[in-house]
C-alpha cells in the first residue's frame, strides 16, 4: 500500500482529502504545516506529497524545494485556490509533479495520485535494479562467467 502525505493548514480540507484517498486504498498521513510535513517525511515511507500552496510560515513552494533537496524523486502535487500561470510554471520548474486548482473534482486528484505514486515506485525499483555491485566475492564470481 502506498502512502500519501496531505499538507494543508485547513483541517476540514485535509479531512476530506484523507477520506477520499483512503477510500482509494492509499495509506494517508496529514500535516497542517510545512514543518510538520518534513517531520512526517523523515520518519515514514511516503510515496507522494499533496500540499496546499498558500500556508503560513512555509508555503507550498518552499516545502516543495525542501522536499526536492532531501528526496529529489519524491512527487509533489501542489494545489491552490489562488492559481496563476506564473505560479504554475514556477512550481513545475521547481520539480512539482503537477499543479491543480481548487476546487477540483476528487476523481482528478485521485488520477494524479495513482500516476504519481506509480512513477515514484518505478523510479525506486529502477534504482534498486541499477545499484552497482561492490561485493568482491560477487564481482569475482561474475568475472569468471
Amino acid at each position: 500500500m502506498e502512502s500519501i502525505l496531505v499538507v494543508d493548514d485547513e483541517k476540514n480540507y485535509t479531512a476530506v482529502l484523507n477520506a477520499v484517498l483512503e477510500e482509494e486504498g492509499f495509506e494517508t498521513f496529514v500535516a497542517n504545516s510545512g514543518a510538520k510535513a518534513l517531520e512526517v517525511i523523515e520518519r515514514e515511507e511516503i510515496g507522494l506529497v499533496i500540499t496546499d500552496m498558500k500556508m503560513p510560515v512555509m508555503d507550498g513552494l518552499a516545502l516543495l524545494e525542501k522536499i526536492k533537496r532531501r528526496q529529489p524523486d519524491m512527487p509533489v502535487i501542489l494545489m491552490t485556490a489562488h492559481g496563476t500561470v506564473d505560479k504554475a510554471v514556477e512550481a513545475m520548474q521547481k520539480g512539482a509533479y503537477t499543479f491543480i486548482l481548487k476546487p477540483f473534482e476528487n476523481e482528478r486528484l485521485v488520477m494524479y495520485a495513482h500516476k504519481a505514486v506509480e512513477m515514484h515506485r518505478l523510479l525506486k525499483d529502477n534504482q534498486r535494479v541499477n545499484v552497482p555491485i561492490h561485493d568482491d566475492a560477487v564481482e569475482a564470481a561474475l568475472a569468471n562467467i
Side-chain angles (χ1 to χ4, degrees):
M1 175 185 324
E2 294 291 340
S3 297
I4 297 177
L5 172 59
V6 179
V7 187
D8 198 317
D9 59 323
E10 294 180 34
K11 289 181 182 178
N12 291 342
Y13 211 79
T14 56
V16 169
L17 292 181
N18 188 44
V20 167
L21 294 167
E22 283 184 347
E23 189 174 296
E24 283 295 313
F26 293 108
E27 178 181 13
T28 58
F29 296 89
V30 173
N32 61 0
S33 70
K36 294 283 186 198
L38 294 172
E39 290 175 16
V40 173
I41 291 168
E42 289 300 317
R43 72 172 189 268
E44 302 293 342
E45 182 80 19
I46 301 295
L48 168 65
V49 176
I50 301 173
T51 183
D52 190 28
M53 180 79 114
K54 190 172 183 172
M55 297 184 292
V57 184
M58 183 188 310
D59 69 6
L61 283 176
L63 177 59
L64 170 66
E65 288 179 48
K66 289 180 184 286
I67 291 170
K68 290 298 183 175
R69 270 190 246 125
R70 294 173 183 191
Q71 296 184 31
D73 295 332
M74 173 72 68
V76 178
I77 295 175
L78 283 161
M79 33 180 206
T80 187
H82 311 285
T84 66
V85 173
D86 290 343
K87 284 292 183 191
V89 169
E90 183 180 2
M92 300 307 281
Q93 288 173 336
K94 290 183 177 185
Y97 178 78
T98 196
F99 184 89
I100 189 168
L101 292 175
K102 293 179 183 178
F104 49 80
E105 293 179 9
N106 291 339
E107 296 80 21
R108 186 169 178 213
L109 181 66
V110 166
M111 177 199 63
Y112 284 137
H114 280 292
K115 287 181 177 184
V117 162
E118 179 65 9
M119 179 199 71
H120 189 239
R121 188 189 61 74
L122 290 171
L123 284 170
K124 287 189 327 188
D125 288 350
N126 187 45
Q127 289 169 350
R128 274 192 287 272
V129 170
N130 291 317
V131 172
I133 298 171
H134 293 292
D135 186 326
D136 292 337
V138 173
E139 287 183 17
L142 290 174
N144 292 326
I145 294 179

